[in-house]
Amino acid sequence: MSNDRLINSKDGASLDDNTEIGQGGELHQLADGEHASITTNQGLPISDNQNSLKANPLGPVLLEDFILREKITHFDHERIPERIVHARGTGVHGYFELTHSLQQYTTAKILTEVGESTPLFTRISTVAGGSGSVDTPRDVRGFATKFYTKEGNWDLVGNNIPVFFIQDAIKFPDLVHAVKMEPDRGFPQSATAHDTFWDFISLTPESMHMVMWIMSDRTIPRSLRMIEGFGVHSFRLINESGDSTFVKFHWRPKLGLQSMIWDEAVKAAGADQDFMRRDMFEAIEAGNFPEWDLAVQLFTAEEADQFPFDHLDATKLIPEELVPLQVIGRMVLNRWPNNFFAETEQVAFCPSHVVPGIDFSNDPLLQGRLFSYLDTQLSRLGSPNFHQIPINAPKCPFANHQRDGHMQMEQPAGRVSYEPNSLSEASPRETPQGFRSAAVNETGVKGRIRAESFADHYSQARQFFVSQTSYEQAHIASALVFELSKVEHLHIREAMVGHMRHISQDLASRVVKGLGINGLPAAPETTTVLREMPPSPALQVIGKMKNTLAGRSIGILIADGSDAAVINSFKKAVIEAGAGVKLIAPKIGDAKLSDGSMLKVDGQLAGTPSVIFDAVAVILSSEGAKKLSSEAAAIDFIRDAFGHLKAIAADKGGDVLLKISNIGNDAGVVEAVKTEAFIAAAKTRQWDREKSIRSLS
């Protein structure tokens, strides 16, 4: 490896004697007497396993990079037919409506024709687990949308987090192999709390920003209807004159952001492993269609040159305070698939699916994805004709000379299957109005090299942490303690704490204390000076919760003899505030109320715990409370609601059960007749309660 691309290693916390640091800050572990040379499948020794071959350090990835293609191709074909990542997903039909034209920036009709309604299909997924895994693990959520536009399909394929673990696609197989079940034992499923994941992360400093996000409340959302979506990469918009502008895409939920407490997410998995999917299904069935705003960040190459980071680095975001978001349209999801397999499972997203007026940047992770996703679909769906499956087929006319292949459904007529030709009067031809790439001048020396502008791995990680509320900072520290406590090897735990010292000494100290490590491990060497970036409130979850009950669910625990007037009044007020209501009782069927009327029950107590609700009420007669006082499910119903920081309303009989459950009074525990106070408390969580009921790092 040439010396101009490597910086000699020093005594860093996680570097061995045969590790070098690239100019982009990436680690290169070198072969020695104990470690064989890594090779291609043909036995060719590989000199750089960290970087794709580029036209220049910030240039596009080159098709001639056979090492990248072999590695990604093999990875893409490792599983059939389930997706390797994003296997568990929930898909919904809907539409996009443009409200603000970007005509000065792009020729794409979907982004210029105000008022047009474009059909779409959106799939939201977990990443690490298999298709049969639970809905509520701590995990990134994939957020992919297929727009069926007039000019062809446009796939916006991103996540609910705006950054990613790695800077170069050549590392994607390594990342996923590390996070998946350990190959010698077949567990853990859909979890990062194990040695192979944190070993890889501890040796991949570029992941530290993403680590802050995945350890935050962002990865344990309350509902798929309450997450943001991001295109992650910078793309280009191209206008009529051929001028290009960089763009980042953002989805913002109309219901606002909301996340779970960790204990709540764990218990929700046991109560209903389809919790997120069922929540989406029931919302659509009830006509409460989820909605997101589509917003963009627009900036020129000249503006990008002034950023204190490189926007082509997928481990970095552009703070909203630096480039404000512009809302340009809205997405509404309003129709559940007719058949889950035919649509949600067979839908095939590819970042390379764009329309005229949208183009790609030189982000090396995006460049690899342009190849990988298509290759993956060929393996998973078994045919180059996967675009003919109805969920994948464009809704505009499409024609070319591609022929035959497995599962060909079209029946092309005539003798011509090539172009140019003189034998057909109607065969398809190229058009000046078709897709054109941005006219970008690329110069430099090609090579496997990471740009120096990619070398800062900690400044934005620090910015994310200091931007959180004190509650969210405690959740991040506690999540790191939990995850690293599952790691068997001490040196991995210590290496991670070393990285944290570059992010926040306070965070590192909290984690060291939680793990019982004696003293702070040394911080690894860095190749660049870290920057102090101002806090960005837009990075919070709690700060972006909306003051609303819309889209939330309230559980009311009742029994025979419960006060009919209190139930009816409470239920009416909550529904008028926008929430859904479910009545829970010891037995399914009907409950006989105090006035002799019968009330249909929605759920049986043992099978409908409070974990699936946003807030609860307990409305019981004295006799009903007495009977439930010896029922563990009733005690857990109340204790879990309190422990998960939820608002609790109770009448006189309900208060008896609260006292038996050792529930104290705070601002979130109110009388059932005080519906306004309950509604105000139920719109959020009782964050000040948390320090009195559990230890946080």
Side-chain angles (χ1 to χ4, degrees):
M1 189 159 303
S2 59
N3 293 331
D4 61 332
R5 291 187 294 161
L6 293 180
I7 300 169
N8 289 333
S9 63
K10 299 182 180 179
D11 293 330
S14 60
L15 303 187
D16 59 37
D17 292 337
N18 291 293
T19 299
E20 304 285 357
I21 304 176
Q23 70 175 27
E26 78 280 9
L27 299 189
H28 294 258
Q29 292 184 321
L30 307 182
D32 56 20
E34 297 179 355
H35 297 276
S37 297
I38 193 169
T39 73
T40 68
N41 289 334
Q42 305 304 314
L44 176 71
I46 295 174
S47 62
D48 187 335
N49 193 40
Q50 314 304 317
N51 298 295
S52 300
L53 183 64
K54 306 177 187 73
N56 57 66
L58 288 175
V61 174
L62 301 179
L63 184 61
E64 73 178 79
D65 189 353
F66 63 94
I67 294 174
L68 169 68
R69 287 188 285 111
E70 180 193 89
K71 187 175 181 180
I72 292 288
T73 298
H74 192 281
F75 170 71
D76 292 340
H77 293 253
E78 285 177 358
R79 303 286 188 277
I80 57 172
E82 181 179 287
R83 289 171 169 87
I84 297 176
V85 287
H86 301 279
R88 180 172 182 83
T90 296
V92 188
H93 292 275
Y95 65 88
F96 172 75
E97 180 184 16
L98 188 72
T99 57
H100 176 76
S101 175
L102 295 180
Q103 187 170 3
Q104 70 180 99
Y105 303 104
T106 181
T107 59
K109 292 182 179 180
I110 189 174
L111 300 180
T112 59
E113 297 181 345
V114 173
E116 282 291 312
S117 180
T118 301
L120 56 77
F121 188 82
T122 290
R123 187 177 186 272
I124 304 176
S125 56
T126 56
V127 175
S131 61
S133 58
V134 299
D135 262 350
T136 58
R138 179 179 294 281
D139 199 355
V140 183
R141 295 322 192 265
F143 199 119
T145 299
K146 185 181 291 291
F147 301 85
Y148 303 98
T149 86
K150 297 176 179 178
E151 300 175 290
N153 290 352
W154 172 34
D155 292 353
L156 183 55
V157 192
N159 289 324
N160 73 323
I161 290 176
V163 295
F164 201 61
F165 294 95
I166 53 175
Q167 297 171 325
D168 194 303
I170 201 169
K171 299 308 298 175
F172 195 71
D174 299 296
L175 166 66
V176 177
H177 288 169
V179 75
K180 283 285 190 177
M181 295 181 292
E182 297 191 12
D184 63 340
R185 58 203 67 186
F187 64 83
Q189 169 76 275
S190 62
T192 54
H194 59 106
D195 285 65
T196 59
F197 175 76
W198 287 106
D199 181 39
F200 175 79
I201 293 298
S202 72
L203 297 169
T204 311
E206 66 205 65
S207 297
M208 293 308 136
H209 188 194
M210 185 68 170
V211 164
M212 291 296 99
W213 283 82
I214 64 171
M215 293 295 103
S216 78
D217 295 343
R218 292 269 180 163
T219 49
I220 45 174
R222 154 64 181 86
S223 168
L224 301 181
R225 300 174 292 126
M226 301 170 194
I227 65 172
E228 293 179 333
F230 302 90
V232 180
H233 311 285
S234 294
F235 291 84
R236 288 181 183 270
L237 299 180
I238 305 175
N239 65 14
E240 189 70 39
S241 302
D243 301 322
S244 69
T245 303
F246 286 114
V247 60
K248 279 183 175 280
F249 295 101
H250 301 249
W251 292 112
R252 292 297 165 93
K254 284 296 184 70
L255 292 176
L257 290 180
Q258 186 171 333
S259 294
M260 289 182 165
I261 303 298
W262 172 239
D263 183 72
E264 180 184 9
V266 172
K267 290 178 177 176
D272 182 0
Q273 75 167 23
D274 303 304
F275 178 78
M276 298 287 185
R277 187 177 291 170
R278 192 186 311 276
D279 173 81
M280 180 72 82
F281 176 82
E282 290 181 348
I284 291 173
E285 286 287 292
N288 299 321
F289 302 137
E291 185 172 337
W292 284 261
D293 285 331
L294 178 62
V296 294
Q297 288 177 298
L298 299 168
F299 55 99
T300 64
E302 291 73 24
E303 289 170 329
D305 289 341
Q306 302 304 311
F307 294 162
F309 50 84
D310 198 319
H311 74 103
L312 298 178
D313 176 357
T315 69
K316 306 297 188 296
L317 57 78
I318 302 177
E320 294 178 30
E321 295 80 3
L322 182 60
V323 180
L325 270 62
Q326 303 178 42
V327 175
I328 62 169
R330 68 184 187 122
M331 171 175 68
V332 178
L333 301 182
N334 60 2
R335 182 168 65 85
W336 194 259
N338 292 325
N339 183 277
F340 183 85
F341 176 81
E343 298 182 304
T344 303
E345 279 303 294
Q346 291 196 120
V347 66
F349 296 97
C350 297
S352 56
H353 292 170
V354 294
V355 294
I358 301 176
D359 197 13
F360 314 109
S361 72
N362 286 349
D363 177 339
L365 180 60
L366 173 60
Q367 294 273 312
R369 293 179 74 204
L370 298 180
F371 164 77
S372 180
Y373 278 65
L374 176 60
D375 186 50
T376 297
Q377 308 306 348
L378 294 175
S379 174
R380 191 173 66 85
L381 297 174
S383 167
N385 295 310
F386 69 83
H387 64 281
Q388 296 177 15
I389 300 172
I391 191 64
N392 296 320
K395 298 187 184 301
C396 65
F398 63 98
N400 53 50
H401 296 290
Q402 295 168 14
R403 290 292 185 269
D404 306 336
H406 185 56
M407 297 187 70
Q408 173 62 251
M409 299 299 173
E410 301 290 333
Q411 297 186 36
R415 67 190 300 184
V416 169
S417 59
Y418 55 91
E419 190 276 332
N421 71 79
S422 62
L423 302 182
S424 172
E425 296 180 355
S427 63
R429 296 180 176 181
E430 63 189 55
T431 171
Q433 286 72 47
F435 175 81
R436 291 181 180 272
S437 297
V440 179
N441 184 34
E442 298 288 357
T443 60
V445 179
K446 75 176 182 180
R448 298 186 183 279
I449 188 168
R450 194 79 56 97
E452 291 184 52
S453 56
F454 281 32
D456 183 356
H457 304 316
Y458 301 103
S459 297
Q460 286 206 356
R462 179 189 299 167
Q463 180 188 38
F464 180 83
F465 183 73
V466 301
S467 297
Q468 306 304 303
T469 64
S470 60
Y471 311 112
E472 290 167 293
Q473 288 183 350
H475 294 168
I476 291 171
S478 297
L480 283 162
V481 170
F482 173 85
E483 295 265 326
L484 294 174
S485 71
K486 302 290 187 180
V487 173
E488 300 170 10
H489 293 81
L490 176 61
H491 76 274
I492 298 174
R493 299 197 295 269
E494 291 179 335
M496 283 307 307
V497 174
H499 287 297
M500 291 174 214
R501 296 190 64 181
H502 287 308
I503 298 170
S504 165
Q505 288 286 353
D506 175 57
L507 174 62
S509 297
R510 292 192 201 186
V511 175
V512 160
K513 182 179 179 181
L515 293 175
I517 297 175
N518 294 322
L520 283 170
E525 295 288 335
T526 62
T527 60
T528 187
V529 177
L530 306 185
R531 296 175 178 268
E532 288 293 338
M533 300 184 70
S536 173
L539 302 178
Q540 299 174 8
V541 171
I542 293 177
K544 297 175 78 171
M545 288 181 66
K546 290 194 175 181
N547 186 34
T548 180
L549 267 192
R552 276 66 178 179
S553 181
I554 310 299
I556 306 177
L557 177 58
I558 65 171
D560 289 343
S562 291
D563 192 314
V566 174
I567 292 173
N568 292 333
S569 175
F570 185 88
K571 183 177 178 181
K572 181 175 182 291
V574 168
I575 290 175
E576 288 178 351
V581 172
K582 287 189 176 181
L583 299 170
I584 312 304
K587 296 180 181 180
I588 199 71
D590 294 334
K592 188 174 183 179
L593 303 183
S594 59
D595 62 358
S597 63
M598 304 300 289
L599 186 61
K600 186 181 185 314
V601 172
D602 300 303
Q604 188 255 351
L605 175 59
T608 318
S610 63
V611 70
I612 68 173
F613 300 112
D614 294 287
V616 301
V618 185
I619 303 175
L620 300 168
S621 66
S622 297
E623 183 65 22
K626 183 178 179 181
K627 287 182 178 179
L628 288 179
S629 65
S630 60
E631 286 286 346
I635 303 301
D636 289 344
F637 188 92
I638 294 170
R639 285 181 176 173
D640 279 345
F642 191 80
H644 299 153
L645 316 184
K646 297 173 182 178
I648 302 174
D651 67 351
K652 196 169 185 180
D655 194 50
V656 172
L657 199 58
L658 263 62
K659 286 183 170 59
I660 293 172
S661 304
N662 293 319
I663 300 302
N665 287 321
D666 64 18
V669 180
V670 302
E671 297 177 29
V673 294
K674 297 181 178 180
T675 54
E676 289 187 6
F678 172 80
I679 289 170
K683 289 178 178 178
T684 183
R685 296 290 177 100
Q686 314 310 304
W687 302 110
D688 288 336
R689 181 191 297 166
E690 191 165 25
K691 61 180 178 290
S692 68
I693 59 174
R694 67 173 58 91
S695 297
L696 293 173
S697 296

